[in-house]
């Protein structure tokens, strides 16, 4: 009995001197932006620096998922992690036995890295955690949603004002209302999807529904100007030009952001929507001012009828 205990103790001490030691973090974090994850495993004290005498095993929650046999240059992968691979096979002789795999295959949990070099070996553990978070910064999302809301408000205010002040052909009215409703529904659905946590198809679709249908605001503005003015003044064309310009910038921003996580070009979307909203605001002010003046200076198109009636009245007398 004593003999056995002494033997165990001795071999533990003996093995201790032949053990490989490791460095690196105990915990790594993965966010929704990580397409791949790398589980770090760094050996401090390799002696031979020769891949031919090395063997690497990765376990997840105690179960082997990956192994690499340096002598045979052979990999073994569990079917749950087909993408798993050494982060860099070339760096293995330098002691880097990190494992890289696709994020979706890497469930959270405790992984262990076991490295053997000839008769020396060692094992280290790393915990993979997941932290969920939004795709865009909160403040960026908020600005995007507010700008979209402003475009809708400025368009609706103009339309209400015009509808009260001018006679609109029923067909045109229906067209404007249908366009407006489509725009608003897309904006609401887009906002709901976009505001979700994470970076997935729903968030991308949400941003698309916010940016792409904003195009509707341009013809709406054109129709509304058309009701107020018989022939569009240059100012109206300039304002429409700026709306189109803002729209194009927003769409370019969307294209830059949609496949990027984190989205580095959120500011381009914001700039585009801001130009659109500004052009919409000035258009609204322009329509309000022009419309209010109409009382004293009737629109030429309408004014034509009255002299005709007067003339008729004169003839009847
Ligand atoms: C996730 O991605 C970030 C940024 O690219 C990186 O720093 C981090 O190490 C990745 N996480 C894991 C577990 O690989
Ligand atoms: C793993 O990496 C090695 C070299 O680093 C490469 O030759 C091999 O094709 C990779 N295997 C997979 C499945 O990606
Ligand atoms: C991983 O190990 C740590 C420490 O032993 C433990 O607190 C944690 O719950 C484990 N995580 C999982 C997912 O088993």
């Amino acid at each position: 009995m004593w003999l056995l205990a002494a033997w165990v103790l001795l071999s533990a001490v003996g093995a201790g001197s032949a053990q490989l030691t490791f460095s690196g973090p105990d915990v790594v974090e993965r966010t929704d932006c990580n397409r791949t994850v790398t589980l770090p495993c760094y050996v401090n004290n390799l002696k031979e620096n020769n891949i031919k005498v090395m063997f690497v095993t990765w376990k997840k929650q105690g179960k082997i998922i990956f192994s690499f046999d340096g002598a045979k240059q052979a990999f073994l992968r569990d079917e749950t992690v087909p993408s798993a691979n050494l982060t860099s096979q070339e760096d293995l002789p330098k002691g880097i036995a990190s494992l890289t795999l696709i994020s979706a295959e890497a469930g959270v949990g405790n992984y262990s890295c076991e490295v053997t070099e000839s008769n020396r070996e060692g094992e280290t553990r790393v915990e993979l955690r997941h932290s969920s978070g939004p795709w865009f910064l909160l403040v960026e999302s908020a600005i995007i949603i507010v700008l979209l809301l402003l475009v809708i408000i400025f368009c609706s205010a103009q339309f209400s004002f015009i509808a009260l002040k001018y006679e609109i052909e029923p067909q045109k009215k229906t067209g404007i209302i249908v366009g407006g409703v489509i725009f608003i529904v897309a904006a609401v659905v887009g906002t709901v999807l976009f505001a979700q946590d994470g970076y997935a198809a729903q968030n991308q679709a949400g941003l698309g529904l916010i940016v792409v249908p904003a195009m509707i605001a341009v013809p709406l503005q054109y129709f509304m100007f058309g009701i107020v003015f018989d022939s569009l003044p240059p100012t109206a064309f300039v304002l429409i030009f700026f709306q189109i310009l803002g729209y194009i910038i927003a769409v370019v921003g969307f294209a830059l952001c949609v496949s990027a996580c984190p989205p580095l070009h959120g500011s381009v979307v914001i700039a585009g929507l801001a130009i659109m909203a500004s052009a919409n605001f000035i258009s609204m002010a322009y329509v309000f001012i022009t419309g209010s003046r109409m009382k004293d200076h009737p629109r030429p198109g309408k004014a034509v009828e009255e002299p005709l009636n007067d003339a008729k009245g004169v003839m009847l007398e």
Side-chain angles (χ1 to χ4, degrees):
M1 192 66 192
W2 284 111
L3 211 62
L4 183 65
W7 180 77
V8 166
L9 197 70
L10 274 178
S11 52
V13 170
S17 66
Q19 287 284 311
L20 297 179
T21 62
F22 294 82
S23 56
D26 296 330
V27 176
V28 288
E29 227 171 17
R30 167 188 82 182
T31 68
D32 295 304
C33 284
N34 287 86
R35 274 162 202 266
T36 62
V37 295
T38 296
L39 303 169
C41 177
Y42 309 117
V43 189
N44 296 323
N45 54 344
L46 287 181
K47 274 192 186 140
E48 301 182 45
N49 301 100
N50 177 2
I51 202 164
K52 293 246 154 57
V53 298
M54 293 184 75
F55 198 96
V56 179
T57 305
W58 274 93
K59 292 181 196 156
K60 179 186 178 188
Q61 309 279 124
K63 178 177 172 260
I64 294 176
I65 54 164
F66 175 90
S67 66
F68 173 70
D69 182 342
K72 295 185 194 146
Q73 297 274 312
F75 296 94
L76 224 130
R77 294 178 181 85
D78 188 75
E79 61 221 0
T80 57
V81 290
S83 71
N85 209 347
L86 292 173
T87 303
S88 165
Q89 198 175 318
E90 288 153 33
D91 290 335
L92 182 57
K94 297 178 203 153
I96 301 176
S98 305
L99 189 73
T100 297
L101 67 167
I102 289 173
S103 202
E105 294 172 11
V108 295
N110 288 310
Y111 290 78
S112 59
C113 165
E114 194 183 295
V115 178
T116 307
E117 183 191 45
S118 298
N119 60 345
R120 305 161 73 221
E121 62 173 12
E123 185 173 343
T124 187
R125 191 183 66 86
V126 57
E127 184 178 359
L128 177 66
R129 289 188 191 150
H130 183 83
S131 80
S132 65
W135 175 25
F136 278 67
L137 294 179
L138 231 51
V139 57
E140 285 179 327
S141 312
I143 293 173
I144 288 173
I145 291 166
V146 166
L147 287 173
L148 180 73
L149 197 66
L150 288 179
V151 170
I152 291 173
I153 290 173
F154 296 153
C155 277
S156 311
Q158 272 184 80
F159 180 65
S160 313
F161 176 81
I162 291 171
L164 287 175
K165 199 104 185 156
Y166 300 88
E167 256 175 52
I168 311 176
E169 293 164 38
Q171 244 176 336
K172 234 179 196 177
K173 201 175 200 167
T174 315
I176 292 177
I177 291 174
V178 168
V181 167
I182 293 174
F183 184 18
I184 291 170
V185 169
V188 169
V189 175
T191 300
V192 169
L193 292 177
F194 176 60
Q196 309 279 321
D197 244 7
Y199 172 60
Q202 57 180 9
N203 311 90
Q204 294 168 304
L207 185 62
L209 280 175
I210 286 176
V211 173
V212 177
M215 179 70 213
I216 294 173
V218 176
L220 282 186
Q221 187 64 62
Y222 180 79
F223 281 133
M224 291 194 290
F225 277 149
I227 294 164
V228 177
F229 304 103
D230 280 331
S231 65
L232 296 202
T235 313
F237 281 112
V238 170
L239 287 169
I240 286 179
F241 167 77
F242 273 104
Q243 278 193 31
I244 295 174
L245 180 71
Y247 178 73
I248 291 171
I249 292 172
V251 168
V252 169
F254 166 66
L256 290 174
C257 287
V258 70
S259 57
C261 189
L264 299 174
H265 299 285
S267 53
V268 180
V269 177
I270 290 175
L273 289 177
I275 292 171
M276 277 196 96
S278 310
N280 250 301
F281 176 73
I282 299 170
S283 304
M284 179 182 74
Y286 188 44
V287 163
F288 281 6
I289 291 165
T290 314
S292 309
R293 279 198 198 137
M294 282 297 159
K295 257 188 234 162
D296 320 306
H297 310 284
R299 212 170 63 167
K302 290 239 164 106
V304 175
E305 290 164 23
E306 282 163 301
L308 271 179
N309 286 342
D310 284 354
K312 246 188 235 162
V314 170
M315 271 175 5
L316 282 175
E317 278 167 12

